Amino acid sequence: MERGYVKLWRKCLDSGLIRNATAWQLFGYLLLKTTHRAHRQLVGGMVFDLQPGDVIYGRKKASEELGASEQTIRTAIKLLEKLEIVTIKWPGRFVFEN
Protein backbone atom coordinates (compact mmCIF):
# COMPACT_ATOMS: atom_id res chain seq x y z
CA MET A 1 0.00 0.00 0.00
CA GLU A 2 1.54 3.27 -1.07
CA ARG A 3 0.78 6.07 1.38
CA GLY A 4 2.71 8.93 -0.18
CA TYR A 5 5.69 11.07 0.65
CA VAL A 6 6.44 13.98 2.92
CA LYS A 7 8.84 16.84 2.29
CA LEU A 8 11.48 18.06 4.71
CA TRP A 9 12.53 21.69 4.72
CA ARG A 10 16.20 22.53 4.87
CA LYS A 11 15.27 25.32 7.27
CA CYS A 12 15.01 22.55 9.89
CA LEU A 13 18.79 22.69 9.94
CA ASP A 14 18.71 26.44 10.57
CA SER A 15 16.22 26.22 13.45
CA GLY A 16 18.49 24.02 15.55
CA LEU A 17 15.77 21.38 15.78
CA ILE A 18 18.05 18.65 14.49
CA ARG A 19 20.34 19.13 17.52
CA ASN A 20 17.56 17.91 19.83
CA ALA A 21 17.16 14.20 19.02
CA THR A 22 13.81 13.77 20.77
CA ALA A 23 12.24 16.89 19.22
CA TRP A 24 13.60 15.87 15.80
CA GLN A 25 12.15 12.37 16.22
CA LEU A 26 8.78 13.77 17.36
CA PHE A 27 8.78 16.22 14.44
CA GLY A 28 9.22 13.33 11.99
CA TYR A 29 6.56 11.28 13.78
CA LEU A 30 4.02 14.13 13.63
CA LEU A 31 4.93 14.95 10.04
CA LEU A 32 4.25 11.37 8.98
CA LYS A 33 0.90 11.38 10.81
CA THR A 34 -0.21 14.75 9.43
CA THR A 35 -3.25 14.68 7.15
CA HIS A 36 -2.81 15.59 3.51
CA ARG A 37 -6.52 15.92 2.66
CA ALA A 38 -9.54 17.34 4.44
CA HIS A 39 -11.59 14.76 6.32
CA ARG A 40 -13.46 14.10 9.56
CA GLN A 41 -11.90 11.98 12.27
CA LEU A 42 -13.46 10.53 15.40
CA VAL A 43 -11.10 10.58 18.38
CA GLY A 44 -12.17 9.79 21.93
CA GLY A 45 -15.84 10.44 21.18
CA MET A 46 -15.13 13.82 19.58
CA VAL A 47 -15.35 14.60 15.87
CA PHE A 48 -12.63 16.75 14.34
CA ASP A 49 -12.73 18.35 10.90
CA LEU A 50 -9.11 18.07 9.80
CA GLN A 51 -7.53 20.15 7.08
CA PRO A 52 -4.26 19.46 5.28
CA GLY A 53 -1.44 20.09 7.76
CA ASP A 54 -3.50 19.10 10.82
CA VAL A 55 -2.53 16.23 13.08
CA ILE A 56 -4.16 14.82 16.19
CA TYR A 57 -1.89 12.88 18.48
CA GLY A 58 -1.86 11.48 21.99
CA ARG A 59 1.15 12.09 24.19
CA LYS A 60 0.82 8.61 25.75
CA LYS A 61 0.65 6.81 22.40
CA ALA A 62 3.49 8.91 20.99
CA SER A 63 5.64 8.10 24.01
CA GLU A 64 4.94 4.38 23.55
CA GLU A 65 5.63 4.43 19.81
CA LEU A 66 8.78 6.55 20.15
CA GLY A 67 10.13 4.90 23.30
CA ALA A 68 10.28 8.13 25.28
CA SER A 69 8.57 9.27 28.49
CA GLU A 70 5.45 11.42 28.34
CA GLN A 71 7.39 14.25 30.01
CA THR A 72 10.05 14.04 27.30
CA ILE A 73 7.35 14.19 24.62
CA ARG A 74 5.71 17.16 26.39
CA THR A 75 9.05 18.99 26.50
CA ALA A 76 9.69 18.27 22.81
CA ILE A 77 6.24 19.59 21.85
CA LYS A 78 6.93 22.80 23.76
CA LEU A 79 10.18 23.19 21.81
CA LEU A 80 8.41 22.63 18.46
CA GLU A 81 5.88 25.27 19.46
CA LYS A 82 8.60 27.68 20.61
CA LEU A 83 10.39 27.25 17.26
CA GLU A 84 7.04 28.00 15.56
CA ILE A 85 7.06 24.66 13.77
CA VAL A 86 3.70 23.63 15.19
CA THR A 87 0.73 25.57 16.50
CA ILE A 88 -1.51 24.06 19.14
CA LYS A 89 -5.17 24.46 18.17
CA TRP A 90 -6.57 22.20 20.85
CA PRO A 91 -4.80 19.92 23.32
CA GLY A 92 -3.48 17.05 21.21
CA ARG A 93 -4.20 18.76 17.88
CA PHE A 94 -1.46 20.58 16.00
CA VAL A 95 -0.98 22.41 12.74
CA PHE A 96 2.37 22.56 11.02
CA GLU A 97 3.49 26.05 10.14
CA ASN A 98 5.11 26.92 6.81
Side-chain angles (χ1 to χ4, degrees):
M1 177 170 126
E2 187 174 322
R3 294 174 42 180
Y5 297 91
V6 296
K7 292 181 182 181
L8 287 176
W9 298 303
R10 284 194 172 91
K11 82 177 194 179
C12 290
L13 293 171
D14 299 335
S15 72
L17 175 63
I18 202 164
R19 287 184 291 238
N20 184 312
T22 304
W24 179 249
Q25 182 182 26
L26 181 60
F27 169 72
Y29 173 81
L30 292 174
L31 189 61
L32 292 170
K33 292 195 167 276
T34 299
T35 187
H36 65 282
R37 60 177 170 74
H39 70 278
R40 287 188 145 187
Q41 185 172 342
L42 179 65
V43 178
M46 296 176 64
V47 176
F48 293 93
D49 289 313
L50 298 178
Q51 299 300 315
D54 287 352
V55 62
I56 295 178
Y57 98 109
R59 189 174 53 239
K60 184 175 182 175
K61 185 173 181 177
S63 72
E64 290 169 1
E65 291 184 351
L66 297 176
S69 71
E70 287 186 51
Q71 178 61 47
T72 301
I73 297 297
R74 186 180 308 121
T75 302
I77 278 295
K78 287 180 182 178
L79 177 61
L80 293 176
E81 187 179 24
K82 202 179 284 189
L83 292 172
E84 298 179 348
I85 293 170
V86 297
T87 300
I88 299 175
K89 282 188 165 182
W90 185 268
R93 180 177 176 194
F94 300 92
V95 175
F96 278 95
E97 297 296 322
N98 290 329

